Amino acid sequence: MKRELLNRIYYVGVNDRQKTLFENMLPLPYGVSYNAYFIDDEKTVLVDTVEQPFAEQLLAHVQELLAGRELDYLIVNHMEPDHSSGIKTLQAIYPNMQIVANAKTIEMLGGYYGIREGFHVVKDGDSLNIGSRTLQFHFAPMVHWPEVMVTYSIEDKLLFSADAFGCFGTLDGAVLDTELNLDKYYTEMVRYYACIVGKYGAPVQTALKKLGGLEINMICSTHGPVWTEHIGEVVGIYDRLSKYETEPGVVIAYGSMYGHTEEMAEMVARGAASVTKNVVLHDVSRSDHSYILADIFRYKGFICGAPTYCGELYPNAATLLAKIKTRGVKNHEFGCFGSFTWANATAKPFEAFAEVMKWEITGYVEVKQSMTAEQAEALYELGRAVALKTLEK
Ligand SMILES: Cc1cc2nc3c(=O)[nH]c(=O)nc-3n(C[C@H](O)[C@H](O)[C@H](O)COP(=O)(O)O)c2cc1C
Ligand SMILES: [Fe+2]
Ligand SMILES: [Fe+2]
């Protein structure tokens, strides 16, 4: 879509409604947009590109806006291929464009695409005058790659923020937050953050503090809506998530083959629901793990249950725990429960997990074959105890 945002700054991104799994892992029920921006000043500037299969679409917009002029600069804020794989196509058409990049970006441009010249090298805090406006580059390492920088247009009070404040969901006919129903974008922002940025809470906090001094009226991220009136909300979401701040509530994720562990999960849920309405039950073999992770980033309580499987934890539950570990999720109230028929092997992996996560185990209940009335009571108590802890400050 080509669309003027303000003062001859144009949205020139694309909607991807074909990809089923982002990073070949995360479902895209609403698709995803790759956002790029064109600045028409004395110099002509493109900010980021799009994924390669969409490069032609991007080029068509850029060519139309250039109307025969040269493209002077391409600013590369982030090298993940969803934004950088279009660069080769662009460079073939505009061989004289200067690629505005930092040292880490340049190393990656060489490694990925064999691009070794034509750079305008920038350091943290550098600026570039392009005519009526000055662009300033602020490095934001590990949000969520090491080379990431954001570009601030001083005169427009506009931040090109790379993936920060981005979310899944195509832009259906409109681009600005004020023109879109934002419900799905907010929930998809939490899932995007939890799965992709989740591990890097500390770098996100550093970036937020660093950018805190800038007056920002518009945030142009590389995915999802352009933020104007709702900047406060999205910065708030990033601030909370990166501090691992959560709401009272409990996510119960269980695996079950024949229903015994599921029955246990139901008892845990009843206990938790006696304390709070925020109880979410996920079957680890049915719910896509990206949604479970998003809920874990939202709620303070997490209780996991699994059967013993070939002397180990039920694999789909083990996989979920590995994904939580990968994200380095902090500050959770944790409980667990396991089932078995001849030799229980659930206690140890749960303990090992809690240790790595530095989470205290509020309680653990194990059941051989089927649940007794006492065990049902203990599971109810486990749900209740974890839920109560999530209410504490
Ligand atoms: C493929 C398979 C492997 C299993 N491996 C073990 C095991 O190593 N040790 C054990 O005590 N029970 C094992 N079990 C039994 C289950 O852990 C036990 O039946 C549990 O209650 C199943 O819970 P569910 O009804 O929620 O699926 C295994 C069951 C299956 C189907
Ligand atoms: Fe990225
Ligand atoms: Fe991205």
Side-chain angles (χ1 to χ4, degrees):
M1 193 189 317
K2 177 171 74 63
R3 168 75 195 275
E4 186 169 9
L5 299 172
L6 55 85
N7 309 336
R8 301 186 73 75
I9 294 181
Y10 295 83
Y11 176 89
V12 288
V14 300
N15 287 313
D16 185 347
R17 296 191 173 85
Q18 310 226 316
K19 182 175 285 186
T20 48
L21 295 174
F22 193 79
E23 296 178 352
N24 215 5
M25 197 163 42
L26 312 168
L28 291 171
Y30 309 111
V32 64
S33 72
Y34 312 121
N35 300 343
Y37 303 90
F38 181 84
I39 310 173
D40 187 355
D41 209 309
E42 279 169 35
K43 299 288 184 188
T44 55
V45 181
L46 181 64
V47 184
D48 290 310
T49 71
V50 298
E51 195 159 37
Q52 212 285 327
F54 298 88
E56 292 286 324
Q57 257 186 66
L58 171 71
L59 254 174
H61 300 321
V62 171
Q63 277 168 334
E64 198 184 326
L65 287 163
L66 283 171
R69 289 172 297 172
E70 280 283 312
L71 179 62
D72 296 310
Y73 293 112
L74 168 68
I75 296 173
V76 180
N77 282 329
H78 180 27
M79 276 298 292
E80 190 170 351
D82 54 334
H83 311 291
S84 75
S85 57
I87 293 177
K88 276 298 265 186
T89 306
L90 200 80
Q91 206 195 28
I93 313 281
Y94 301 109
N96 298 324
M97 74 184 184
Q98 291 275 296
I99 300 181
V100 180
N102 61 47
K104 285 183 185 146
T105 308
I106 288 169
E107 191 266 333
M108 292 183 189
L109 282 164
Y112 271 109
Y113 309 116
I115 298 175
R116 304 195 196 281
E117 53 187 22
F119 301 125
H120 176 97
V121 188
V122 293
K123 295 200 183 61
D124 193 15
D126 278 1
S127 356
L128 175 68
N129 185 276
I130 56 166
S132 72
R133 47 170 67 81
T134 306
L135 303 175
Q136 225 175 37
F137 308 98
H138 299 279
F139 292 8
M142 297 322 299
V143 181
H144 62 121
W145 275 27
E147 83 296 356
V148 170
M149 63 181 194
V150 298
T151 300
Y152 180 63
S153 172
I154 297 174
E155 289 76 8
D156 303 296
K157 300 183 171 45
L158 183 156
L159 184 72
F160 298 102
S161 65
D163 279 342
F165 314 112
C167 55
F168 300 128
T170 50
L171 298 172
D172 300 341
V175 175
L176 296 176
D177 56 355
T178 48
E179 309 163 329
L180 293 155
N181 181 323
L182 297 173
D183 296 350
K184 72 165 180 260
Y185 298 109
Y186 286 138
T187 36
E188 288 291 81
M189 183 176 288
V190 175
R191 192 165 66 96
Y192 182 97
Y193 182 95
C195 298
I196 295 171
V197 189
K199 183 175 178 109
Y200 302 109
V204 170
Q205 276 295 309
T206 305
L208 287 175
K209 293 204 173 84
K210 192 168 163 180
L211 302 174
L214 301 178
E215 195 183 333
I216 299 172
N217 291 340
M218 186 177 273
I219 293 181
C220 294
S221 153
T222 44
H223 303 284
V226 166
W227 301 102
T228 58
E229 283 185 16
H230 298 274
I231 287 173
E233 277 109 303
V234 296
V235 172
I237 290 173
Y238 258 65
D239 189 38
R240 279 198 304 281
L241 291 171
S242 58
K243 286 181 186 152
Y244 303 94
E245 275 180 18
T246 43
E247 298 170 43
V250 183
V251 180
I252 301 158
Y254 69 92
S256 185
M257 298 171 281
Y258 296 104
H260 299 87
T261 320
E262 184 179 1
E263 267 191 341
M264 296 170 76
E266 293 281 2
M267 283 313 296
V268 173
R270 284 173 59 184
S274 72
V275 174
T276 170
K277 284 181 188 172
N278 297 335
V279 176
V280 192
L281 211 72
H282 282 290
D283 176 338
V284 293
S285 302
R286 279 175 187 273
S287 296
D288 183 85
H289 290 186
S290 67
Y291 292 89
I292 309 180
L293 286 166
D295 283 334
I296 290 170
F297 268 81
R298 178 160 179 198
Y299 295 118
K300 194 172 177 64
F302 175 58
I303 307 178
C304 191
T308 303
Y309 192 94
C310 302
E312 293 179 26
L313 202 67
Y314 184 63
N316 290 0
T319 305
L320 174 67
L321 297 186
K323 289 177 182 177
I324 296 168
K325 219 161 25 173
T326 297
R327 271 72 183 185
V329 183
K330 297 191 176 30
N331 306 334
H332 273 63
E333 302 299 343
F334 179 59
C336 41
F337 53 97
S339 63
F340 68 105
T341 289
W342 64 92
N344 182 33
T346 61
K348 279 205 180 112
F350 281 133
E351 262 169 42
F353 168 75
E355 198 180 320
V356 174
M357 300 306 295
K358 301 191 176 71
W359 295 351
E360 193 187 310
I361 301 179
T362 294
Y364 165 73
V365 180
E366 66 182 51
V367 166
K368 183 174 181 179
Q369 292 149 9
S370 55
M371 190 164 63
T372 64
E374 270 155 42
Q375 286 165 335
E377 185 57 32
L379 287 158
Y380 182 95
E381 278 311 317
L382 172 63
R384 203 176 131 72
V386 171
L388 281 170
K389 280 188 162 184
T390 72
L391 300 181
E392 294 167 11
K393 277 277 166 214

